[in-house]
Amino acid sequence: MRKNMEKWNLTFRAINVLVGVILGLSIVYFIKEEFNLSILLGALTGTVILTVTNIMKALLKRDRTPDTDERTEKNMLKFYLFSSHIFIGLLFIALCISSFLGIEEILTVYLWIIIIAYICFSGIGAFIVSRR
Amino acid sequence: MPVRNNIRSIRKERGIKQLQLAEDLQVTRQTLTAIENNKYNPSLELALKIVNYFNLPIQEIFILEEEKE
């Protein structure tokens, strides 16, 4: 049964993210009495896309081989190790440059962009590495 | 790599397709290709599964080569 449920991992993760977003929005609503519909719609769109992708993947898969095994998991771990170290190195260099240039304030929106970009690139990279 | 294996030759002798072996061992086809090409050494668990699958002594499947100094 566990093997049968494994092929729905992507959908399960997407639903978890949606639940997390709803939880976060609820907390913000109770504290600040603000509700941002665009965040919910974005999460819902992502969930639908991932679910449809999972369904297509499950229907198209003809063999009984697993999606990941010991080698692909090792490759992904290695990738995450290198990418996180490179990210910290690049951040350090950026911090040195900004300190040298005398920049004393950085808008948090730029920091968010950097973090989200890292998450996207590391996610896509790990997916590519797991398929090799 | 100091570890070689004869998995491909044994598999072909027995007429087993790579995909079938991958399904039976529950590994991806890419992993099996990497193992057969000596690009990846399987874990102990996977190596023992392979030994049990072919029902051969381990030294007939995996060979440790002497490292050249």
Side-chain angles (χ1 to χ4, degrees), chain A residues 102-107:
Chain A
I103 297 169
E104 290 181 9
E105 286 176 4
I106 297 172
L107 291 173

Coordinates of all heavy atoms in Angstrom, one line a residue, chain A residues 102-107:
Chain A
G102 N 29.3 50.9 0.8 CA 28.7 51.8 1.8 C 27.2 51.7 1.9 O 26.5 52.6 2.5
I103 N 26.6 50.6 1.4 CA 25.2 50.4 1.5 C 24.9 49.9 2.9 O 25.4 48.9 3.4 CB 24.7 49.3 0.4 CG1 25.0 49.8 -1.0 CG2 23.2 49.0 0.6 CD1 24.8 48.8 -2.0
E104 N 24.0 50.7 3.6 CA 23.7 50.4 5.0 C 22.3 49.8 5.1 O 22.0 49.2 6.2 CB 23.9 51.7 5.8 CG 25.3 52.1 6.0 CD 25.4 53.3 6.8 OE1 24.4 53.7 7.4 OE2 26.5 53.9 6.9
E105 N 21.5 50.0 4.1 CA 20.1 49.5 4.2 C 19.7 48.7 3.0 O 20.0 49.1 1.9 CB 19.1 50.6 4.4 CG 19.1 51.2 5.8 CD 18.2 52.4 5.9 OE1 17.5 52.7 4.9 OE2 18.2 53.1 7.0
I106 N 19.1 47.5 3.2 CA 18.7 46.7 2.0 C 17.2 46.5 2.2 O 16.8 46.0 3.3 CB 19.4 45.4 1.9 CG1 20.9 45.7 1.7 CG2 18.9 44.5 0.8 CD1 21.8 44.4 1.8
L107 N 16.4 46.7 1.2 CA 15.0 46.5 1.3 C 14.7 45.0 1.5 O 15.3 44.2 0.9 CB 14.3 47.0 0.0 CG 14.2 48.5 -0.2 CD1 13.6 48.8 -1.6 CD2 13.4 49.2 0.9

